[in-house]
Amino acid sequence: MSLQVENLTVYYQTLRGEVHSLEHANFNLGDGEIMGLAGESGCGKTTLGNSLIYLAPPMKFIEGQVALDGEELPVWDIERMNEFRFKKISIIPQYAMNAMNPTRKIGKMISELLQSRKINYKELLSVIKERLDKVKLPHDVLNMYPIELSGGMKQRIVMVLSTLLNPSLLIADEITSALDVSTQKSVAEMIVKFRDCGCMKSVIFITHDVSILYQIADSIMIMYAGQLSEKASKETIIHSPLHPYTKLLISSLPKVGVKHSEKKLTGIPGTPPLLLNPPVGCRFRDRCPLAFEKCLETPPFVEIEQGHFLACWKEGAPYA
Amino acid sequence: MTARSQKHEMLFFALRNTKLRVGVSILLFFILLTIIGPQLTPYEPNDFVTSGAFPPSSEFWLGTTTFGEDVFTQVVYGLRATFIVGIVGGGLGMLIGLLIGFTAGYWGGIVDETLNMLTNIILVIPTLAVLLIIAAYLKVRGILTESLFIGFTCWPWVARAVRAQTFSLRVRDFVDMARISGMKSYKIIFSEIAPNMMSYLLLVFILQFGGAILTAATLDFIGLGPTNTISLGLMMNMAVLWSALILGSWWWFIPPGLAITAIVGALYITNVGLDEVFNPKLREM
Amino acid sequence: MGRYFRRKLLIYLLTFFVAVTLDWCIPRFMPGNPIDILISRAGLRGSAVQTMYDYYTRVFGLDQPIWKQYLNFWASLFKGDLGISIYLFPTPVSKVIAGAVPYDLFLLIPSTLLSWIIGNNFGAFAARSKQLDNTLLPFSYILSATPYMWLGIILAWAFCIVFRIFPLAGGYSFAMKPNLSFAFIGSLLSHWVLPFLSLFIVQLGGWAIGMRNMIIYELESDYSHYLKTLGSPNRLIRKYAFNNAILPQITGLALKLGEVVAGALATEVVFAYPGIGYLILQAIHNEDYFLLQGCFLFIIIGVLAANFIIDIVYLLVDPRMRAGMQGETA
């Protein structure tokens, strides 16, 4: 098991009160697993990603444990997490195209960053070059300023940099959202290629676009309104999902490989609940065609089959 | 979020913003003093009420000048000049800046190029030097003339800011909609673009207000202020000219400068406070 | 990059043109005959009136067509002929100004540069903690709201009258003749300290506020956040934020020059410091309009030159500009 998350609960502090954006998340990630994390925007998937690597205000740690390669991650402690960041756990952020210091040459920035982490740049230079080849960038980019590169090139540099120290876990946060369909595919393939050659062990691939996960994910986890709904292998999620929300989400995608904007998902009647004062019980209750009295209690996220986790009273009942 | 609840929220933040409360309180104090001050004193600013410079006393609250004029009376009347310059000078600069900024930002192209060039030119010329020359040639100068001249030279900052904002608003959907529906350009500017930058314009106006006051104070101090009325800058000018320093009449030169600093400082702090109210990102948690 | 420079140069040329034209227009389009006003105000008597009258008529060339007057003005300008000072008759205006300029440079350059450097560091420092920020920020705002001359007056009163540490007026002791002795240089310096301080202190607030706002903005930026997720120490993140925030502050320096010059004028008046500002005051009091025009022109040229230098410095320090430049020539 590469990553074990137990009961992780993280709130957002706002002036109006605490937003319950992630509650009681329980899941595991196997070595070499690429897990797609999907859901509507605002469902807490980015909160989940961020809380694993950089849990800073206004995010507030409530409870939970996270272990990476059997070692506990002090996610609630900004300072102590520094030891793990970059080396053990890394992220390609949503804003990867603006992630480089505009007034430093790429190579200089990387060297200063490595130096600040007490790592020798010169020794790693050959690795950097080798990885640049992998993402089809000339070695010249190291002598360039970010302004001289296209958005896609900058994103690929971030991909190289984030995975440079062969972290156990890489979080890829909406890295395909701003791209056109053909580029999306090549970026997704690069992630797979990096995993295959050991640049990182496992990946959480956050996206609101389920179709891209068909191409690269080993498993898919679906979130709804701050709660985990279902996690299973890609095939199971696509062909035989159990959670009513997953079913609606999958059925709203007509065909594999077609990009869907978030608006399509509103094809499910109703809107997600506000997480400031979330309703008790299953948060999908109000929109769920199968809801019954039991749904006033929060359903546990339990393994109903090998590798298939589900949080639903109705669909989970036969397996209980 | 509805517009109404947004307004409520803004009011809520406005009321609990310390900077805003401090700034507005100081401003209100001085505005009140300007209005009721003349009733508190039996004298006119240039009346000779005693026989020379005396330190503050129960009779003359802020003391008297070398000529025996009452400093408190002069400050109170001088405040009036300060606020007039701020409103008229800052306001006129604002209007010109708005006109040029909207025109340049909305039409773009050659109009923008020309106006932008003009703005940059005026921005580089030290306006005080121009004002000096103009004022030096005018025999009689009133507070309004001074305000007008300041207004005509202080607009480039506004023009730059408004132009940039207009640029970003002009390409938004609702402006496109208005344009497609055949709305007239000036109507689009005033009914679609301007209301969307109201909060921003308020901030800009506050800065203009303070800037005009400081410019006027400098002009007055050099001796090129109004010739027919008292002002805070003029008081400092007289104090230095008539050796208040050497005579140690600190009550003559401290109050006018302190009043200007307090008013302009309060304006700046109000500005920061308002910025925090309008801009949720800056709000303190 | 060529385009950038051509544009800048065009603006400077146009600015110079506009300023000279203004300088020419103002006396001519003010109400009344300028010569009569000048003569009557100058309070000259006897043959001096005739001399001045002839001189003014010749210089203003009022009998010539207006376009000719304008061209003449430019022609004499390029010859360095700014007229004769009335106040210091018969010294040429250019010579009077040349005598005042060193004082200005000596006052303006150190006070502006030092307050820029220290103010920026001060602001970056304030941005570090909420507590520091809450005390330093209001203080900086009050500083930048202080009229230059008032701070000057307060300093003069405190240090010259109350504590008697520094002399009150002039560029050097009236008992001395300019020479290269230590005593004279000491006198120069002791007269310089207070005007320098009042200019330095007021500007400090503005730079600190600007830097603090820029740093906070940079610390919220995407690249700062990315570095944090890579576990980079705060030292590096702050260094990057400072490096990026300093660039707009350089542009800000150019934009502030007009205000700084105005401040210097007022400060020189307070301390009777013999720079351009003091000359202007004398020119106004003595109705010396040629001197006034000359000072104005000189200020414009000075500000334009400083702007140009700042532009070049900006090109040298902003790596993006450099990169762009190489890109074009390559």
Side-chain angles (χ1 to χ4, degrees):
Chain A
M1 270 317 149
S2 158
L3 179 75
Q4 288 164 295
V5 176
E6 266 176 59
N7 211 20
L8 184 62
T9 303
V10 173
Y11 292 168
Y12 259 96
Q13 285 181 301
T14 69
L15 287 160
R16 295 157 167 264
E18 287 175 337
V19 176
H20 298 217
S21 22
L22 181 66
E23 278 194 309
H24 308 297
N26 280 295
F27 68 94
N28 297 326
L29 201 57
D31 286 348
E33 181 175 343
I34 295 182
M35 180 185 83
L37 177 56
E40 291 165 68
S41 49
C43 73
K45 53 194 191 304
T46 294
T47 307
L48 174 55
N50 282 337
S51 58
L52 292 177
I53 184 163
Y54 191 76
L55 205 162
M59 285 164 86
K60 185 181 169 196
F61 176 82
I62 303 297
E63 58 174 329
Q65 270 109 42
V66 181
L68 188 61
D69 294 336
E71 197 180 350
E72 191 183 22
L73 279 186
V75 289
W76 58 87
D77 188 330
I78 292 192
E79 292 299 317
R80 268 176 63 206
M81 269 301 284
N82 268 343
E83 196 39 47
F84 296 90
R85 294 186 186 121
F86 199 14
K87 291 179 180 166
K88 302 284 284 177
I89 176 168
S90 220
I91 187 169
I92 301 175
Q94 230 163 336
Y95 51 80
M97 293 171 186
N98 301 315
M100 311 300 277
N101 179 356
T103 54
R104 277 283 190 283
K105 285 183 180 165
I106 309 285
K108 174 108 163 115
M109 186 209 142
I110 295 177
S111 107
E112 285 179 335
L113 171 67
L114 289 173
Q115 210 174 21
S116 79
R117 298 298 311 269
K118 315 242 179 329
I119 299 162
N120 194 313
Y121 173 67
K122 291 252 164 60
E123 283 169 20
L124 270 179
L125 197 56
S126 58
V127 183
I128 295 174
K129 287 182 175 166
E130 180 195 317
R131 301 266 166 102
L132 284 176
D133 292 337
K134 274 204 180 79
V135 297
K136 302 189 180 67
L137 283 175
H139 299 169
D140 240 17
V141 294
L142 294 176
N143 287 318
M144 291 185 183
Y145 289 100
I147 197 173
E148 299 171 81
L149 305 171
S150 73
M153 290 165 100
K154 282 184 266 192
Q155 194 187 39
R156 277 179 279 161
I157 289 170
V158 169
M159 195 185 291
V160 168
L161 180 55
S162 287
T163 57
L164 192 56
L165 305 177
N166 302 337
S168 294
L169 176 66
L170 177 75
I171 298 158
D173 190 1
E174 300 273 13
I175 58 170
T176 52
S177 309
L179 306 172
D180 58 79
V181 180
S182 60
T183 334
Q184 274 183 359
K185 199 173 172 207
S186 77
V187 167
E189 280 165 357
M190 278 176 203
I191 292 281
V192 176
K193 192 158 89 180
F194 267 50
R195 188 268 320 259
D196 291 347
C197 63
C199 299
M200 64 271 187
K201 252 197 236 164
S202 37
V203 180
I204 298 180
F205 194 97
I206 301 174
T207 181
H208 59 258
D209 179 11
V210 181
S211 58
I212 192 85
L213 297 177
Y214 291 6
Q215 302 169 22
I216 62 157
D218 301 315
S219 61
I220 295 178
M221 185 158 81
I222 306 290
M223 277 186 81
Y224 183 80
Q227 291 173 334
L228 304 185
S229 305
E230 188 168 15
K231 183 197 173 202
S233 69
K234 172 172 70 178
E235 288 73 22
T236 312
I237 291 287
I238 295 171
H239 300 297
S240 48
L242 286 176
H243 198 284
Y245 176 63
T246 318
K247 285 181 186 164
L248 285 163
L249 194 64
I250 300 297
S251 66
S252 69
L253 300 177
K255 205 167 78 188
V256 170
V258 177
K259 182 181 154 76
H260 285 271
S261 63
E262 284 161 60
K263 279 185 186 142
K264 284 276 195 248
L265 297 180
T266 55
I268 306 170
T271 51
L274 292 173
L275 298 182
L276 196 59
N277 283 308
V280 289
C282 176
R283 291 185 184 164
F284 191 57
R285 203 176 62 223
D286 287 349
R287 293 165 89 184
C288 182
L290 306 176
F292 67 127
E293 319 84 74
K294 192 95 199 259
C295 299
L296 283 166
E297 274 173 59
T298 307
F301 192 62
V302 289
E303 189 165 22
I304 50 165
E305 279 174 352
Q306 174 72 28
H308 191 168
F309 296 79
L310 180 70
C312 180
W313 291 118
K314 203 105 193 182
E315 294 291 345
Y319 301 92
Chain B
M1 205 185 302
T2 65
R4 226 188 103 161
S5 79
Q6 231 169 14
K7 255 182 203 145
H8 271 290
E9 185 173 317
M10 241 174 228
L11 197 67
F12 169 75
F13 284 113
L15 289 176
R16 42 166 271 173
N17 187 299
T18 322
K19 289 179 190 118
L20 196 57
R21 284 200 306 220
V22 171
V24 171
S25 310
I26 297 174
L27 285 178
L28 280 180
F29 169 77
F30 278 103
I31 290 170
L32 216 64
L33 191 63
T34 312
I35 295 168
I36 62 163
Q39 266 76 58
L40 296 178
T41 167
Y43 316 113
E44 290 289 309
N46 293 324
D47 282 353
F48 302 114
V49 296
T50 182
S51 62
F54 291 102
S57 63
S58 59
E59 195 185 347
F60 306 111
W61 296 348
L62 294 177
T64 55
T65 71
T66 307
F67 312 112
E69 299 149 320
D70 181 33
V71 173
F72 177 73
T73 311
Q74 291 198 334
V75 167
V76 166
Y77 281 89
L79 278 174
R80 184 184 287 178
T82 294
F83 279 108
I84 291 177
V85 168
I87 292 170
V88 178
L92 182 67
M94 183 83 192
L95 272 180
I96 300 174
L98 277 177
L99 197 71
I100 292 188
F102 277 139
T103 314
Y106 185 79
W107 273 280
I110 185 80
V111 178
D112 175 45
E113 283 280 326
T114 318
L115 290 177
N116 198 22
M117 192 75 93
L118 180 72
T119 310
N120 280 329
I121 288 172
I122 308 284
L123 209 57
V124 173
I125 295 181
T127 43
L128 190 88
V130 180
L131 290 176
L132 279 180
I133 298 265
I134 294 173
Y137 279 97
L138 284 179
K139 250 192 200 154
V140 182
R141 302 176 295 264
I143 194 79
L144 277 177
T145 330
E146 185 179 37
S147 311
L148 288 186
F149 281 127
I150 291 177
F152 276 116
T153 48
C154 72
W155 56 265
W157 290 102
V158 187
R160 263 169 83 112
V162 171
R163 169 178 174 266
Q165 288 277 311
T166 311
F167 252 139
S168 69
L169 283 174
R170 161 176 91 132
V171 292
R172 300 271 276 275
D173 289 344
F174 60 89
V175 177
D176 280 340
M177 287 301 287
R179 204 174 299 144
I180 292 166
S181 70
M183 206 188 253
K184 290 227 168 54
S185 298
Y186 71 92
K187 243 186 143 176
I188 295 179
I189 289 177
F190 288 107
S191 63
E192 302 292 328
I193 294 182
N196 276 293
M197 45 198 277
M198 259 329 178
S199 56
Y200 186 73
L201 293 181
L202 180 61
L203 298 183
V204 172
F205 177 68
I206 290 175
L207 291 183
Q208 284 289 306
F209 195 103
I213 290 175
L214 282 180
T215 308
T218 311
L219 265 183
D220 296 359
F221 177 71
I222 291 178
L224 294 172
T227 46
N228 52 8
T229 170
I230 190 77
S231 80
L232 297 176
L234 199 59
M235 285 181 71
M236 288 192 270
N237 168 267
M238 295 305 270
V240 170
L241 214 56
W242 296 99
S243 314
L245 278 172
I246 293 165
L247 300 173
S249 321
W250 50 267
W251 55 87
W252 191 359
F253 53 79
I254 287 189
L258 194 61
I260 293 176
T261 309
I263 292 173
V264 178
L267 284 168
Y268 287 170
I269 289 174
T270 306
N271 191 56
V272 183
L274 275 178
D275 201 12
E276 287 175 358
V277 171
F278 292 144
N279 190 347
K281 261 194 186 167
L282 298 173
R283 281 177 200 158
E284 289 174 29
M285 294 288 283
Chain C
M1 194 45 50
R3 193 181 125 76
Y4 173 82
F5 253 115
R6 274 199 298 278
R7 234 189 119 77
K8 283 279 179 190
L9 211 62
L10 181 62
I11 287 185
Y12 291 148
L13 283 176
L14 276 174
T15 309
F16 186 65
F17 173 78
V18 169
V20 171
T21 307
L22 264 179
D23 204 21
W24 175 81
C25 282
I26 292 167
R28 281 170 183 77
F29 295 111
M30 285 290 165
N33 178 349
I35 300 184
D36 288 344
I37 297 172
L38 292 175
I39 301 279
S40 70
R41 288 205 199 168
L44 296 169
R45 251 168 301 192
S47 63
V49 173
Q50 195 50 47
T51 318
M52 285 316 289
Y53 204 95
D54 291 347
Y55 177 71
Y56 277 133
T57 316
R58 186 161 44 79
V59 172
F60 276 92
L62 287 186
D63 44 338
Q64 289 173 338
I66 202 118
W67 60 269
K68 192 99 192 280
Q69 293 180 31
Y70 184 60
L71 290 185
N72 287 344
F73 187 74
W74 275 101
S76 54
L77 185 68
F78 278 117
K79 278 183 263 164
D81 175 15
L82 298 173
I84 304 277
S85 165
I86 302 168
Y87 154 59
L88 296 166
F89 195 81
T91 322
V93 165
S94 47
K95 212 172 162 189
V96 177
I97 292 177
V101 170
Y103 289 100
D104 279 295
L105 298 183
F106 191 43
L107 191 58
L108 275 171
I109 294 176
S111 66
T112 307
L113 287 185
L114 273 179
S115 75
W116 188 81
I117 293 167
I118 296 175
N120 279 325
N121 283 296
F122 198 58
F125 185 65
R128 279 170 169 231
S129 86
K130 195 91 233 159
Q131 237 180 342
L132 214 58
D133 195 37
N134 277 336
T135 45
L136 289 184
L137 194 66
F139 179 67
S140 303
Y141 272 108
I142 291 166
L143 270 191
S144 64
T146 310
Y148 285 88
M149 60 277 178
W150 188 58
L151 187 72
I153 293 173
I154 300 283
L155 287 177
W157 176 60
F159 290 103
C160 308
I161 309 298
V162 179
F163 297 115
R164 299 186 177 278
I165 301 173
F166 293 110
L168 178 59
Y172 51 86
S173 167
F174 292 119
M176 292 185 181
K177 278 242 179 285
N179 58 66
L180 257 182
S181 68
F182 281 115
F184 180 73
I185 291 172
S187 174
L188 269 182
L189 280 178
S190 70
H191 282 82
W192 168 83
V193 172
L194 289 182
F196 162 80
L197 266 186
S198 50
L199 275 177
F200 170 76
I201 293 174
V202 177
Q203 290 181 64
L204 196 65
W207 296 125
I209 295 166
M211 190 56 170
R212 176 242 177 215
N213 292 343
M214 286 310 302
I215 286 259
I216 287 179
Y217 174 81
E218 294 291 338
L219 286 177
E220 294 283 312
S221 69
D222 287 340
Y223 71 83
S224 296
H225 194 258
Y226 181 52
L227 284 174
K228 285 177 201 160
T229 65
L230 293 181
S232 163
N234 277 332
R235 197 165 21 87
L236 184 69
I237 298 171
R238 286 218 188 88
K239 183 176 147 194
Y240 279 6
F242 186 85
N243 285 343
N244 282 294
I246 201 81
L247 296 172
Q249 291 290 85
I250 295 175
T251 322
L253 188 57
L255 293 175
K256 275 268 176 131
L257 281 177
E259 195 186 300
V260 174
V261 166
L265 299 186
T267 308
E268 286 175 13
V269 170
V270 174
F271 293 96
Y273 197 73
I276 299 281
Y278 189 64
L279 268 192
I280 286 180
L281 189 72
Q282 298 305 320
I284 290 168
H285 282 305
N286 295 289
E287 315 283 350
D288 189 343
Y289 290 90
F290 284 104
L291 187 54
L292 196 57
Q293 276 186 326
C295 289
F296 174 75
L297 272 182
F298 183 78
I299 290 174
I300 298 288
I301 293 171
V303 167
L304 286 178
N307 259 288
F308 190 66
I309 293 172
I310 292 171
D311 275 342
I312 290 174
V313 169
Y314 191 84
L315 279 180
L316 292 179
V317 288
D318 189 343
R320 286 165 293 185
M321 295 289 242
R322 276 205 312 267
M325 191 142 46
Q326 283 159 3
E328 208 188 45
T329 47

